[in-house]
Amino acid sequence: MKLKIRLLANPLWRLAAQVSTIGLLALLTACTSYGPTGLKVDRSYQAKSQNSRVEFIVLHYTSTGNHASLQILTEQNVSSHYLITDESRPEIYQLVDESRRAWHAGVSQWFGRTDMNAGSIGIEIVNPGGNGKNWSPYSPAQIKTLIALLHDIIKRHQIKPYNIVGHSDIAPQRKVDPGPRFPWKQLADAGIGRWYDQTAVDGFIQQFQQTSLPDILTIQTDLERLGYATPKNGRLDKPTRNVIAAFQMHYRPSRYDGLPDAETIAILKALK
Ligand SMILES: [Zn+2]
């Protein structure tokens, strides 16, 4: 699938004009550039030890329509790098350059890292969301477009599978998007994100039929091992149930009540 990305701030005709004007000059001075102050910077040496500042991809739903989403994400105190519309042929808008910070994650944590806006790319998908019981599906065309965009971003920034997350994974006490209708399994089948081995899950389920389920502290420790910010108090309190519900929405969306049933804990154990 060929990616077509609309850059609002830089219409293509303007980019094309700039490129043709400066193209020849750039070729002649490939390793030297001049900043706004006229300072000469030599870029002919590049360090071997470097990598992308982008380590995470965070997926969201907008809970509003195309027009309102575009307006909110460009004019208010919230933004994302990309917005995928829900038209029959979905558009990909790029609203923030990948080298810059978008404001989409808020108070969040993953593998102990806070300030997720600093090291992530945020993708908003137009979808009405849900009310806790009923949720709107994502269209096949949206998911196809998203998968193509994700492949492109993952390759360029070398994003690890376990660092492709939903907003609910990094902020389970506040957020439920992208929601239980988001097709994480379909993404995994396309080679995107972390997933489990079903045989291993079946083995753990069998094991739990003979022994009881692990205690809550062990479950909390396993959730933390997989990246989630989790209480470590050995109690199935509301914050712990919220984390389990976020985990279920991602890996076992048929039931996301936050209760540690055998299948949920088997998936938790099977994930690496
Ligand atoms: Zn969100």
Coordinates of all heavy atoms in Angstrom, one line a residue, residues 60 124 167 177, ligand 1:
H60 N -4.6 6.2 19.8 CA -5.7 6.8 20.4 C -7.0 6.8 19.5 O -6.8 6.7 18.3 CB -5.5 8.3 20.6 CG -4.3 8.7 21.3 ND1 -4.3 9.1 22.7 CD2 -3.0 8.8 20.9 CE1 -3.0 9.4 23.0 NE2 -2.2 9.3 22.0
E124 N -3.8 9.5 16.3 CA -5.2 9.6 16.6 C -6.0 9.0 15.4 O -5.8 9.3 14.3 CB -5.7 11.1 16.8 CG -5.1 11.7 18.1 CD -6.0 11.5 19.3 OE1 -7.0 10.7 19.2 OE2 -5.7 12.0 20.4
H167 N -3.3 4.3 24.5 CA -3.4 5.3 25.5 C -3.7 4.7 26.9 O -3.2 5.0 27.9 CB -4.4 6.4 25.2 CG -4.1 7.7 25.8 ND1 -4.9 8.8 25.7 CD2 -3.1 8.1 26.7 CE1 -4.4 9.8 26.4 NE2 -3.4 9.4 27.0
D177 N -9.1 4.7 25.7 CA -8.8 4.5 24.2 C -7.5 3.8 24.0 O -6.6 3.9 24.8 CB -8.9 5.9 23.6 CG -7.8 6.9 24.0 OD1 -7.6 7.0 25.2 OD2 -7.1 7.5 23.2
Ligands
ZN1 ZN -6.0 9.2 23.9

